[in-house]
Amino acid sequence: MTAPGRRSSTFTRLLRHGFTDPSAAEGLLEGPELAPVRNDPVLLDALGATADPDLALLGLVRLVEAQDGPPAQRELLDTLIAAKPLRDRLLGVLGASAALGDHLARHPHDWQVLVTYEARDLHPGVREFERGLADAADPVSLRVAYRRCLLSIAARDVCGTTDLAQTAAELADLATATLRAALAIAGAAAPDDAALCRLAVIAMGKCGGHELNYVSDVDVIFVAEGTEGADEGKSVQAATRLASHMMRICSETTVEGSIWPVDANLRPEGRNGPLVRTLSSHLAYYQRWAKTWEFQALLKARPVAGDLELGEEYVATLAPLVWHAAERENFVPDVQKMRRRVVENIPAAEIERELKLGPGGLRDVEFAVQLLQLVHGRADTTVRSGTTLDALKALAAGGYVGRADAVQLDDAYRFLRSMEHRIQLFRLRRTHLVPTDEADLRRIGRSLGLRVDPVRELNREWKRHAAMVRRLHEKLFYRPLLDAVAQLAPGESRLSPDAARERLVALGYADPASAMRHLEALASGVSRKAAIQRTLLPVLLGWFADSADPDAGLLNFRKVSDALGKTPWYLRLLRDEGAAAENLARVLSAGRLAPDLLMRAPEAVALLGDGESGGLEPRGRAQLEQEILAAVRRADGGEQAVTVARGVRRRELFRIAATDIVASYGTEETPAVADQGALVDLVGGAISDLTAATLAGTLRAVVRDGWGDTLPTRFAVIGMGRFGGHELGYGSDADVLFVHEPREGVDEQEAARAANAVVSEMRRLLQLPSADPPLLIDADLRPEGKSGPLVRTLKSYEAYYRRWSLVWESQALLRAEVVAGDADLGSRFIELVAPLRYPAEGLGEEAVREIRRLKARMESERMPRGADPTLHTKLGRGGLSDVEWTVQLIQLRHGWAEPGLRTTRTRQALAAASAADLLSTEDAATLDEAWVLATRVRNAVMLVRGRAGDTFPSDGRELAAVGRYLGYDPGHVGDMLDDYRRTTRRARAVVDELFYGSAPGGH
């Protein structure tokens, strides 16, 4: 007897052998069941070698208890001690799987299937499993026989007799034998149906790929033909009944549980389509309707049960379609989008534990391998295997994947699949989530040979392999393109020129020959620069491929790299600052404007990084004015000063464009901005602030150059139109009015000459030919238009507006805001025009009719000939003009009474009108949505084409780029145009009611 407070030697030995509950284990060992062997050291050593010694011991006690009496118990225990193969197999299974322990307790004689250790038992195939299931005549006996076979597979697995690939193949072979047995049972139950049809069962997914899990849906497709002389319709109906019964036999829960669900949802039309089709019906569907992912799924198709001749015919008939799938438009984006969608659908709480579908999970390896197979399998039949690891090996042998990458992926895939197997084996439940319970993690870690600190080692290895997969799976597609132009080590395979061309075409490159030349120029050689490029380019190529114009992205990257290649910070920025490389890839492949701005001063790349000089947040007006005015003070003369100001403008335009592009596309870390109205406001406000700061700097430079510190007349610039409304686009002119007021004692003619000279010089300097984009000043909204003086005194404006002002001028003045020059003079101008833009008691009916007449005339006269009025963003139906004139009419009518309407900004005025119940919330939202969309389209056209435009581009690639900016996936430009027409059509209906009809509160 052990003294109180002292532990027995058995307790200590149990701890040393890996038991976590030695007290309970000691109690089990002291029980009568194990009395004959409890002191045999062989037993304790064998239990200590299992994944979970406590679980193995409990399972063994239950198994001994379940034997038919003392002789049977003695036979089990004697064999256990005498035969090491049985001991390792039986205890290994009991320590890894509670579910198989339960099976053995219910069927206590099944342990004997683990006794034999002949050559044929080491690697059984379909034939051996069919023999094991031969006596099953109903669903219950089939389940018992299935578990008995599964017991032998698990035993070989946990003992290391078979590796991961062999275990997965055995599980697929057992599934094949089970489907055949289930179909035989279904056929025996309905012999008339069986006589009417030829039914083939095609395995898909992991079963088809000969790489099944312990517990997984078994994906299948059914194909049937009538027997000779049978009616086709009746034959298909008979086959459908047989197929349905076969699925129920495998899937339904009985007293012995279920086997696994049989899933036929990969069939044409999914669950909405017929369960069984003829071969000709399958072919017609795949030729006409199938999506890219459906051809990807067919990579795994393998006939397994029923009429195997028909099954082989099915595979042979569809194979040519599979190997031409890579020629489909948007092939690579479609596959990658499918992968992203899978990740997006994982609950946030599970994504870090998701072994199969999460980032760096098994699906990443499988998708990458399948993508490469579809691209290169057409020309190279050696890479067509349905088994992931075999396909990966073949891809490496053919040079389609780098050998080192293939080895790392193979290791990672084997480890992650082994984890998945051990997780599922415990309860025989379908799951891909890594458990959080420490006991579960300990058991899994020990089962994988991690014995020192199983939990910590398991987490470390899992994270290491997942990180490896995450790093490799994206660039797996791109790195061999660089190897094709680089110096390779002896023995390394490389992509052939044809294979490289195929891959680039699949990625969306229109000119693969030029792309290869760019890659060679960037990545060949032994310099440090080339080495860094070889690291960067695989990832950059993926981001370029995610754009509408990969060719332009790669060409622009080469230009920037050529310009900055000798600067030490450039490649370091891209390599070391996470956001910079992806931001640059997005900017360079999204259109012409941003790359053009960047090429004129490539050092602006630094703005794309995370460091001190980086940051894509547009700068405010005060900060911009401070920088520009400081530069003007340092400059030598007006021309140099304005050159510097225009340089700042170019840099900041690039910053704004880059912000807009990155926010619209999103990045791997940050999704695209959902609130497009906020993005429109950000861009419009930033460009307007930049334009105001540029005008302020130019004005200061002109005055200093011509008059020193003080101009003979006070001078102010009033922003009008989109400028005054903080709504400028990338290609907008600056609409302005100029106002001046002679200083005391200055002759009015002298003051006028000075003011006109200032305006003339400002316009000249801002349009001088240079590398920087010009800033065009448009003063056509001034009194008397083009025939009136460019600049007037405040008194002259007052006299004109008092006597001659027209209703269109009141409307134009709604947007007036001081943007540069003498702030006091500007404020007095705004006070002067307030009664015009917010007339007391609102507009009279004649004025309203005049505005409507002007709008109708503009619609009929100014629409460009041949333009589609449903797609013209400015003058078209429900476009910018419609929304703005409607809002401005509300302001003219009600601004005197509603302070919220006294704003130069369209969206603010619209919100204020809605808050004042001058239009419904729904109508306001409709107008706002149309205005934001039309503004986004205009911005997109300028970003894509590099020149302003009011309608969608006609060029297909440019149109696709506009679509990507607006958030449409490749191949969906038709949806984009339909959505634009629908949005603007609804807006026009509101305009017809509010502007042309009788608006609520409008009288």
Side-chain angles (χ1 to χ4, degrees):
M1 180 176 171
T2 306
R6 292 189 59 191
R7 290 177 171 172
S8 69
S9 59
T10 303
F11 186 99
T12 306
R13 277 184 15 248
L14 290 170
L15 270 179
R16 199 164 57 244
H17 279 84
F19 287 83
T20 57
D21 188 353
S23 298
E26 194 170 8
L28 290 172
L29 284 169
E30 295 295 330
E33 295 83 6
L34 299 184
V37 296
R38 72 166 64 105
N39 294 318
D40 195 316
V42 167
L43 175 63
L44 207 54
D45 288 344
L47 287 167
T50 65
D52 186 340
D54 302 82
L55 182 66
L57 177 58
L58 178 61
L60 178 60
V61 170
R62 291 178 65 206
L63 177 58
V64 174
E65 282 178 340
Q67 298 304 306
D68 294 335
Q73 291 178 337
R74 170 62 68 179
E75 181 190 1
L76 168 60
L77 292 174
D78 286 350
T79 311
L80 185 75
I81 297 301
K84 185 177 188 306
L86 170 71
R87 189 165 62 245
D88 291 343
R89 288 178 172 195
L90 179 58
L91 295 182
V93 167
L94 291 173
S97 178
L100 289 176
D102 292 342
H103 172 85
L104 284 167
R106 286 196 309 274
H107 303 280
H109 300 295
D110 280 2
W111 67 270
Q112 293 177 359
V113 303
L114 303 180
V115 174
T116 54
Y117 204 70
E118 299 172 10
R120 71 176 187 180
D121 298 307
L122 293 181
H123 301 295
V126 175
R127 186 173 302 169
E128 287 75 22
F129 289 126
E130 284 186 303
R131 280 200 295 269
L133 303 177
D135 294 334
D138 57 65
V140 173
S141 59
L142 181 60
R143 280 153 178 70
V144 175
Y146 174 84
R147 290 287 170 90
R148 191 181 300 124
C149 293
L150 192 66
L151 187 63
S152 66
I153 293 175
R156 286 187 293 276
D157 179 15
V158 297
C159 292
T161 307
T162 52
D163 67 6
L164 177 277
Q166 291 167 326
T167 300
E170 288 183 14
L171 289 165
D173 286 340
L174 175 56
T176 297
T178 306
L179 290 170
R180 291 179 183 179
L183 186 57
I185 295 171
D192 291 344
D193 283 346
L196 266 178
C197 65
R198 299 168 60 204
L199 174 64
V201 184
I202 312 298
M204 305 288 285
K206 283 192 163 54
C207 185
H210 217 226
E211 52 186 11
L212 198 60
N213 295 328
Y214 275 102
V215 189
S216 175
D217 289 0
V218 170
D219 296 309
V220 299
I221 285 177
F222 297 106
V223 58
E225 297 292 341
T227 52
E228 192 171 342
D231 175 76
E232 183 181 284
K234 291 181 178 177
S235 297
V236 171
Q237 290 172 357
T240 301
R241 288 190 290 271
L242 287 173
S244 299
H245 191 191
M246 186 204 84
M247 292 173 71
R248 289 197 303 275
I249 288 169
C250 296
S251 304
E252 286 181 345
T253 301
T254 70
V255 291
E256 287 291 339
S258 69
I259 302 176
W260 17 246
V262 177
D263 188 342
N265 288 337
L266 290 177
R267 66 186 184 270
E269 299 179 74
R271 64 186 61 195
N272 297 319
L275 183 64
V276 179
R277 290 175 183 256
T278 62
L279 179 54
S280 60
S281 175
H282 276 285
L283 180 60
Y285 173 84
Y286 282 105
Q287 285 176 329
R288 187 168 185 189
W289 302 110
K291 297 182 173 64
T292 298
W293 71 263
E294 293 177 281
F295 293 108
Q296 185 180 351
L298 284 173
L299 284 169
K300 305 282 191 184
R302 180 171 65 93
V304 291
D307 191 314
L308 295 182
E309 184 181 344
L310 176 59
E312 294 292 354
E313 190 180 351
Y314 169 91
V315 171
T317 300
L318 295 184
L321 300 180
V322 173
W323 302 115
H324 282 82
E327 298 170 6
R328 293 162 67 94
E329 189 176 1
N330 302 313
F331 161 70
V332 171
D334 278 351
V335 176
Q336 292 172 332
K337 181 177 70 178
M338 184 77 180
R339 174 69 189 115
R340 283 195 296 269
R341 191 177 299 142
V342 168
V343 175
E344 287 162 3
N345 288 335
I346 302 172
E350 296 180 0
I351 195 164
E352 290 301 319
R353 297 191 294 124
E354 177 57 72
L355 199 61
K356 176 181 178 182
L357 303 177
L362 294 163
R363 188 57 61 87
D364 275 349
V365 182
E366 292 158 1
F367 260 62
V369 168
Q370 290 162 22
L371 195 61
L372 290 166
Q373 285 182 281
L374 287 169
V375 171
H376 298 296
R378 177 185 169 199
D380 187 347
T381 58
T382 66
V383 303
R384 293 185 178 183
S385 171
T387 307
T388 301
L389 291 176
D390 291 348
L392 182 58
K393 185 177 179 181
L395 287 164
Y400 306 112
V401 174
R403 287 188 187 277
D405 290 348
V407 167
Q408 289 180 321
L409 273 181
D410 184 285
D411 288 346
Y413 190 74
R414 287 175 186 272
F415 182 85
L416 296 173
R417 279 295 301 272
S418 297
M419 266 186 82
E420 182 183 47
H421 276 190
R422 297 299 194 269
I423 292 167
Q424 293 180 349
L425 183 58
F426 179 51
R427 296 277 184 207
L428 286 182
R429 288 180 185 159
R430 180 175 178 268
T431 180
H432 311 289
L433 287 179
V434 178
T436 55
D437 182 75
E438 187 153 327
D440 290 329
L441 294 171
R442 182 176 183 273
R443 184 188 61 258
I444 296 164
R446 283 174 59 92
S447 76
L448 295 173
L450 307 173
R451 296 299 175 97
V452 177
D453 187 348
V455 175
R456 188 176 61 80
E457 291 177 67
L458 177 68
N459 279 317
R460 186 185 65 220
E461 286 300 293
W462 168 34
K463 297 301 183 187
R464 180 176 71 82
H465 285 297
M468 180 76 67
V469 171
R470 199 158 51 239
R471 190 166 67 247
L472 284 180
H473 103 273
E474 286 287 353
K475 62 183 179 182
L476 198 68
F477 206 76
Y478 310 107
R479 198 190 307 205
L481 290 168
L482 303 181
D483 291 343
V485 300
Q487 298 294 317
L488 297 187
E492 275 283 316
S493 301
R494 72 166 78 230
L495 282 183
S496 68
D498 285 345
R501 186 193 63 77
E502 283 175 347
R503 194 172 296 195
L504 285 162
V505 169
L507 287 167
Y509 285 84
D511 186 356
S514 293
M516 288 303 292
R517 285 197 298 274
H518 299 325
L519 292 176
E520 186 169 8
L522 288 163
S524 60
V526 294
S527 68
R528 183 171 173 274
K529 181 174 79 170
I532 296 175
Q533 288 282 22
R534 285 195 292 273
T535 303
L536 290 169
L537 275 164
V539 185
L540 288 166
L541 284 169
W543 288 323
F544 295 148
D546 190 37
S547 75
D549 196 349
D551 298 84
L554 181 55
L555 171 62
N556 289 330
F557 180 69
R558 181 181 174 184
K559 288 179 178 176
V560 173
S561 296
D562 286 348
L564 294 176
K566 291 187 171 62
T567 57
W569 57 266
Y570 167 62
L571 290 174
R572 190 168 63 241
L573 169 85
L574 299 183
R575 184 191 63 195
D576 298 341
E577 292 197 21
E582 185 175 4
N583 290 346
L584 179 62
R586 297 294 180 208
V587 165
L588 293 180
S589 56
R592 294 180 184 170
L593 178 67
D596 284 352
L597 291 168
L598 181 60
M599 296 309 167
R600 291 165 184 167
E603 64 276 3
V605 165
L607 300 177
L608 301 171
D610 306 319
E612 290 180 14
S613 59
L616 289 180
E617 188 69 32
R619 299 163 77 196
R621 179 168 165 183
Q623 194 177 2
L624 291 167
E625 275 197 25
Q626 184 179 16
E627 179 184 2
I628 289 174
L629 292 175
V632 166
R633 280 195 299 273
R634 292 192 299 270
D636 184 16
E639 286 197 7
Q640 188 188 46
V642 175
T643 297
V644 173
R646 287 174 66 182
V648 172
R649 178 171 175 265
R650 178 204 61 238
R651 183 197 69 209
E652 293 303 318
L653 273 176
F654 172 74
R655 191 198 302 264
I656 296 164
T659 302
D660 192 4
I661 290 165
V662 171
S664 297
Y665 271 73
T667 66
E668 291 184 355
E669 297 296 326
T670 309
V673 170
D675 186 349
Q676 299 200 345
L679 190 53
V680 162
D681 291 344
L682 177 73
V683 171
I687 298 175
S688 301
D689 284 346
L690 176 58
T691 302
T694 306
L695 289 179
T698 304
L699 175 59
R700 177 72 59 86
V702 169
V703 171
R704 195 192 65 171
D705 215 29
W707 293 271
D709 291 334
T710 307
L711 192 67
T713 185
R714 294 183 179 85
F715 188 91
V717 184
I718 311 297
M720 300 289 284
R722 294 189 166 281
F723 187 13
H726 297 255
E727 296 161 1
L728 284 179
Y730 297 106
S732 301
D733 295 348
D735 288 320
V736 297
L737 298 178
F738 297 108
V739 56
H740 78 105
E741 184 180 67
R743 296 187 185 277
E744 273 188 52
V746 175
D747 177 68
E748 285 198 11
Q749 286 188 332
E750 181 191 348
R753 280 195 300 272
N756 277 288
V758 165
V759 171
S760 177
E761 183 66 359
M762 285 179 70
R763 297 178 87 175
R764 183 185 77 83
L765 291 174
L766 289 170
Q767 295 177 53
L768 278 175
S770 83
D772 301 315
L775 174 56
L776 301 178
I777 295 176
D778 186 339
D780 289 352
L781 292 175
R782 65 189 183 270
E784 301 177 74
K786 292 182 180 178
S787 57
L790 264 177
V791 59
R792 290 174 180 260
T793 63
L794 187 62
K795 285 183 179 179
S796 175
Y797 276 108
E798 183 181 9
Y800 174 85
Y801 286 137
R802 185 173 64 248
R803 188 170 182 187
W804 303 109
S805 175
L806 300 173
V807 67
W808 72 264
E809 291 174 305
S810 293
Q811 183 181 352
L813 287 167
L814 285 167
R815 308 280 236 155
E817 182 169 295
V818 185
V819 293
D822 190 300
D824 175 66
L825 176 61
S827 296
R828 284 187 283 130
F829 177 87
I830 298 301
E831 288 174 21
L832 168 68
V833 300
L836 288 172
R837 55 183 183 173
Y838 310 124
E841 305 301 322
L843 282 184
E845 284 305 309
E846 178 55 38
V848 172
R849 282 194 291 273
E850 175 62 17
I851 286 178
R852 288 172 177 160
R853 275 197 301 271
L854 285 169
K855 175 80 167 72
R857 194 174 77 202
M858 184 178 72
E859 287 179 19
S860 63
E861 293 178 2
R862 292 179 60 187
M863 178 73 72
R865 181 174 297 179
D868 183 346
T870 67
L871 293 176
H872 198 279
T873 58
K874 184 176 181 181
L875 302 174
R877 178 195 69 191
L880 296 170
S881 175
D882 270 359
V883 176
E884 288 165 6
W885 281 60
T886 301
V887 171
Q888 288 159 14
L889 182 58
I890 292 172
Q891 289 180 283
L892 288 165
R893 284 175 146 182
H894 303 285
W896 65 278
E898 290 293 340
L901 291 172
R902 297 171 205 161
T903 174
T904 62
R905 306 180 189 213
T906 301
R907 297 188 74 215
Q908 282 187 9
L910 191 53
S914 175
D917 293 326
L918 298 172
L919 78 167
S920 70
T921 304
E922 183 182 349
D923 285 350
T926 298
L927 293 178
D928 186 70
E929 182 185 10
W931 189 88
V932 167
L933 178 57
T935 303
R936 292 267 294 157
V937 171
R938 284 183 107 199
N939 284 346
V941 169
M942 184 67 186
L943 285 169
V944 168
R945 303 180 69 197
R947 59 182 188 276
D950 290 317
T951 191
F952 288 88
S954 56
D955 176 80
R957 186 159 272 200
E958 290 179 348
L959 189 62
V962 170
R964 293 306 315 279
Y965 171 85
L966 294 176
Y968 290 87
D969 288 325
H972 289 270
V973 292
D975 294 340
M976 171 180 70
L977 299 178
D978 289 345
D979 288 347
Y980 183 85
R981 287 189 172 106
R982 184 167 50 251
T983 301
T984 53
R985 183 173 62 244
R986 288 200 304 263
R988 179 60 186 213
V990 175
V991 170
D992 284 341
E993 180 188 345
L994 296 182
F995 185 84
Y996 289 112
S998 55
H1003 294 295

